[in-house]
């Protein structure tokens, strides 16, 4: 796995969550070889407007010449503290964004040749 940095904020470190992040990051980097690194910040900040805490995931995915930032707060009232759902959604969002950039880059290379 290329440069992966994982931070936990307002939540204790969890080996299980870290394992999920590593697994999803590995899958993402194997699909898009141009990824230079991933920074993941996991948090469970207290939000007074909701009952309980909301799972918060922030990803920064490095690509040549740019960084793709993904922020995901899991607001589902029945699963608002489910970090695994928030992780899944954040990485799916990252995959869609990076896929669009990847396809755009391939398309522009085809036009040049």
């Amino acid at each position: 796995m290329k440069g992966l940095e994982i931070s936990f904020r307002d939540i204790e470190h969890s080996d299980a969550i870290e394992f999920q992040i590593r697994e999803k990051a590995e899958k993402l980097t194997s699909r898009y070889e141009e990824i230079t690194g991933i920074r993941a910040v996991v948090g469970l900040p207290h939000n007074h407007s909701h009952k309980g805490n909301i799972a918060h995931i922030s990803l920064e995915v490095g690509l040549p010449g740019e960084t793709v930032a993904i922020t995901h707060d899991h607001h589902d009232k029945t699963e608002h503290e489910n970090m695994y759902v928030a992780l899944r959604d954040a990485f799916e969002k990252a995959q869609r964004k990076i896929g669009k950039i990847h396809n755009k880059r391939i398309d522009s290379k085809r036009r040049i040749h």
Side-chain angles (χ1 to χ4, degrees):
M1 165 76 238
K2 303 169 191 170
L4 174 62
E5 182 184 325
I6 302 170
S7 303
F8 289 83
R9 292 205 179 130
D10 301 318
I11 185 174
E12 286 188 36
H13 178 271
S14 164
D15 289 337
I17 291 171
E18 182 174 336
F19 178 78
Q20 286 290 316
I21 292 170
R22 290 188 181 282
E23 205 171 61
K24 290 178 183 308
E26 184 66 41
K27 186 176 178 183
L28 194 61
T29 57
S30 68
R31 185 168 186 170
Y32 302 105
E33 292 179 6
E34 63 266 30
I35 292 175
T36 58
I38 297 175
R39 181 169 185 257
V41 179
V42 178
L44 205 59
H46 184 69
N47 188 331
H48 296 287
S49 64
H50 294 278
K51 230 179 185 180
N53 296 322
I54 295 175
H56 175 83
I57 308 294
S58 177
L59 299 174
E60 289 179 3
V61 182
L63 297 170
E66 68 184 298
T67 300
V68 176
I70 297 0
T71 301
H72 185 78
D73 293 313
H74 195 269
H75 291 288
D76 186 329
K77 290 179 183 172
T78 59
E79 297 179 333
H80 65 273
E81 293 184 41
N82 193 330
M83 189 62 68
Y84 298 101
V85 174
L87 278 171
R88 180 200 67 204
D89 293 349
F91 273 94
E92 284 176 358
K93 190 174 182 180
Q95 185 170 335
R96 286 190 304 270
K97 273 185 149 178
I98 293 165
K100 285 180 184 178
I101 293 167
H102 176 78
N103 291 338
K104 209 180 252 186
R105 287 180 177 186
I106 287 175
D107 196 39
S108 67
K109 284 180 184 179
R110 287 182 184 152
R111 288 185 195 149
I112 293 171
H113 296 294

